[in-house]
């Protein structure tokens, strides 16, 4: 079969809820992927940061094969020998007290919404059904009805109502707005440390520290969604470390399996997580031994192979050299660690065509919204490979249309 045959099958038989670049991938290794014709590409998206450890990392693969021959799923009706070890390793690494394992990122967000509401009623004393959660404009937290209900992105939410009540939306990066929005019924504030889907929006320095202290002063649970920023992407294990703070609840997912399996988790301090009792929340696949074994190795690889340090160093190098490109249509360049973006001017004709041209030159990335190109390669990338990418990025950006 040729690439076009696969594309036709997808388009004819599949829902059209994505608009992928027309590259049909077949194989991956490290930062590289190959299409069905054997053409090689550098992956500068990393499956939205789920493949931080690089494609088909041999150690994670080994664990997946091994564990799948031993035990895969027990349900939480019984215990298994991997879950507690994952908890221990995650808590040691992140200073959390408690872990709740789920599958997708959206499920972790839903879990947090339930936990902070119950905490609000039982611990803070908020009257029943009055709990408020504060979120930010241009957030991305997933795709369920409750979550898209507090999105401000029109295509994410239009025509999907009615929505779950109880959310208040404030501008991102504005700690005064948080202070002003808090009421006695506010149970939580949830934000991304850097807004990925919005176009790698980095808040002003001190924002996380200020919101941390506002939450503490007002007895509001601080929730950081690190599903994209976490696990090394920004050059720290968790992006909150850039400001030396700890959220009360932290969400991780994506790279928690290095791209092998859907695994997410809510990391919590003791007080909030302890409100959940048997029968109140769960998931058939959440915390299964295969997922836990994979996650344990994915975390070990991230640390042992110094991918987090590499993300910090290579990210600085990438951004410094990206910033040297003086091309028309560039409005802004920004990044932290290996989470970078080039924002184009409104008259550039959209980021999509630049992504298509980069694809033709062997570099895969994806536009986010109209005018932003995001670069987020696996954290195993080296200097020579970044130079290779920069050559292509410069060539494409320098073109006049
Ligand atoms: C990807 C993402 C999610 C949703 O994760 P899924 O696994 O796609 O449900 C939530 N929050 C952030 C910040 C994300 O990047």
């Amino acid at each position: 079969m040729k690439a076009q045959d696969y594309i036709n099958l997808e388009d004819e038989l599949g829902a059209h809820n994505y608009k992928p670049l027309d590259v049909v991938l077949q194989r991956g290794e490290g930062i590289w992927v190959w299409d069905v014709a054997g053409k090689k590409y550098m992956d500068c998206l990393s499956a939205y940061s789920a493949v931080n450890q690089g494609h088909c990392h041999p150690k994670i693969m080994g664990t997946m094969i091994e564990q799948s021959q031993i035990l895969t799923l027990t349900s939480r009706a019984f215990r298994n020998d991997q879950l507690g070890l994952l908890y221990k390793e995650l808590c040691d690494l992140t200073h959390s007290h408690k872990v709740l394992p789920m599958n997708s990122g959206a499920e972790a967000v839903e879990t947090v919404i339930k936990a902070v509401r119950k905490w609000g009623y039982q611990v803070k004393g908020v009257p029943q059904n009055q709990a408020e959660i504060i979120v930010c404009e241009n957030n991305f937290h997933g795709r369920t009805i409750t979550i898209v209900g507090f999105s401000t992105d029109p295509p994410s939410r239009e025509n999907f109502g009615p929505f779950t009540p109880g959310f208040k939306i404030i501008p991102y990066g504005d700690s005064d707005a948080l202070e002003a929005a808090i009421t006695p019924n506010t149970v939580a504030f949830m934000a991304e440390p850097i807004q990925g889907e919005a176009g790698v929006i980095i808040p002003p320095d001190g924002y996380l520290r200020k919101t941390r202290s506002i939450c503490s002063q007002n007895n509001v649970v601080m929730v950081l969604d690190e599903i994209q920023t976490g696990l090394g992407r920004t050059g720290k294990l968790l992006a909150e470390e850039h400001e030396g703070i700890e959220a009360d609840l932290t969400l991780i997912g994506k790279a928690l399996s290095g791209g092998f399996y859907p695994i997410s988790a809510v990391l919590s301090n003791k007080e909030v997580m302890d409100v959940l009792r048997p029968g109140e929340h769960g998931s058939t696949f959440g915390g299964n031994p295969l997922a836990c074994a994979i996650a344990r190795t994915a975390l070990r690889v991230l640390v042992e192979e110094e991918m987090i340090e590499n993300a910090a160093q290579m990210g600085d190098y990438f951004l410094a050299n990206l910033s040297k490109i003086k091309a028309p249509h560039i409005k802004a360049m920004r990044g932290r660690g290996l989470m970078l973006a080039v924002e184009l001017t409104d008259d550039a004709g959209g980021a999509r065509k630049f992504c298509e041209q980069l694809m033709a030159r062997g570099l895969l990335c994806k536009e986010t919204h109209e005018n932003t190109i995001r670069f987020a390669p696996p954290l195993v990338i080296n200097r020579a490979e970044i130079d290779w990418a920069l050559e292509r990025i410069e060539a494409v950006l320098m073109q006049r249309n």
Side-chain angles (χ1 to χ4, degrees), residues 8-197:
N8 291 346
L9 271 180
E10 279 192 21
D11 286 352
E12 212 177 293
L13 301 175
H16 292 178
N17 57 329
Y18 278 93
K19 190 181 167 211
L21 291 175
D22 281 334
V23 57
V24 183
L25 299 174
Q26 189 169 50
R27 185 162 76 84
E29 192 184 321
I31 63 165
W32 302 101
V33 287
W34 286 262
D35 72 9
V36 287
K39 183 176 171 189
K40 183 181 177 184
Y41 302 83
M42 183 186 287
D43 181 1
C44 279
L45 183 68
S46 308
Y48 300 98
S49 296
V51 194
N52 284 0
Q53 296 87 337
H55 287 277
C56 298
H57 191 288
K59 287 188 184 144
I60 309 174
M61 189 198 306
T63 295
M64 182 156 185
I65 293 169
E66 215 170 276
Q67 183 65 38
S68 68
Q69 293 167 331
I70 301 172
L71 186 66
T72 58
L73 182 62
T74 57
S75 86
R76 299 285 304 279
F78 313 115
R79 299 179 188 265
N80 71 68
D81 71 349
Q82 294 297 313
L83 186 59
L85 294 172
L86 175 63
Y87 288 170
K88 175 85 173 78
E89 288 159 16
L90 265 176
C91 287
D92 284 349
L93 212 54
T94 63
H95 312 126
S96 301
H97 308 156
K98 294 262 174 179
V99 184
L100 197 159
M102 296 296 284
N103 309 286
S104 68
E107 284 176 307
V109 175
E110 291 274 352
T111 301
V112 150
I113 292 168
K114 288 174 70 176
V116 297
R117 281 181 168 184
K118 188 166 183 208
W119 172 86
Y121 302 131
Q122 295 223 316
V123 180
K124 185 167 177 173
V126 172
Q128 274 299 317
N129 295 319
Q130 302 295 308
E132 294 167 359
I133 296 170
I134 299 173
V135 297
C136 294
E137 283 172 1
N138 301 316
N139 68 70
F140 182 83
H141 297 291
R143 297 293 194 174
T144 65
I145 284 292
T146 291
I147 295 171
V148 301
F150 57 80
S151 168
T152 57
D153 175 45
S156 295
R157 70 193 305 275
E158 270 168 21
N159 293 307
F160 297 125
F163 297 119
T164 312
F167 298 91
K168 220 185 235 183
I169 302 171
I170 60 169
Y172 184 64
D174 181 349
S175 50
D176 294 339
L178 174 63
E179 199 147 30
I182 289 173
T183 74
N185 293 341
T186 304
V187 295
F189 167 61
M190 176 166 69
E192 300 151 84
I194 294 172
Q195 289 186 326
E197 294 316 295

Side-chain angles (χ1 to χ4, degrees), residues 192-215:
E192 300 151 84
I194 294 172
Q195 289 186 326
E197 294 316 295
V200 188
I201 308 301
I202 303 171
D205 269 351
Y207 178 62
L208 296 182
R209 262 195 313 277
K210 277 190 204 144
T211 50
R212 169 69 278 180
S213 81
I214 293 167
C215 287

Side-chain angles (χ1 to χ4, degrees), residues 170-301:
I170 60 169
Y172 184 64
D174 181 349
S175 50
D176 294 339
L178 174 63
E179 199 147 30
I182 289 173
T183 74
N185 293 341
T186 304
V187 295
F189 167 61
M190 176 166 69
E192 300 151 84
I194 294 172
Q195 289 186 326
E197 294 316 295
V200 188
I201 308 301
I202 303 171
D205 269 351
Y207 178 62
L208 296 182
R209 262 195 313 277
K210 277 190 204 144
T211 50
R212 169 69 278 180
S213 81
I214 293 167
C215 287
S216 300
Q217 282 160 17
N218 292 279
N219 199 20
V220 165
V221 177
M222 183 185 196
V223 183
L224 285 180
D225 179 346
E226 297 238 24
I227 292 168
Q228 191 164 147
T229 53
L231 305 178
R233 176 51 58 190
T234 69
K236 300 273 188 194
L237 179 72
L238 296 173
E240 66 177 18
E241 293 168 37
H242 288 290
E243 296 210 358
I245 62 137
E246 286 185 11
D248 299 305
L249 298 180
T250 301
L251 307 175
I252 55 174
K254 293 201 164 108
L256 186 51
S257 75
F260 279 83
Y261 200 86
I263 309 173
S264 64
V266 179
L267 308 174
S268 176
N269 64 23
K270 199 164 183 311
E271 184 183 273
V272 179
M273 195 64 92
D274 272 354
V275 301
L276 292 178
R277 310 305 311 161
E280 294 175 351
H281 192 60
S283 160
T284 304
F285 277 81
N288 73 72
L290 181 58
C292 294
I294 291 170
R296 292 178 62 207
T297 302
L299 288 169
R300 186 160 60 79
V301 156

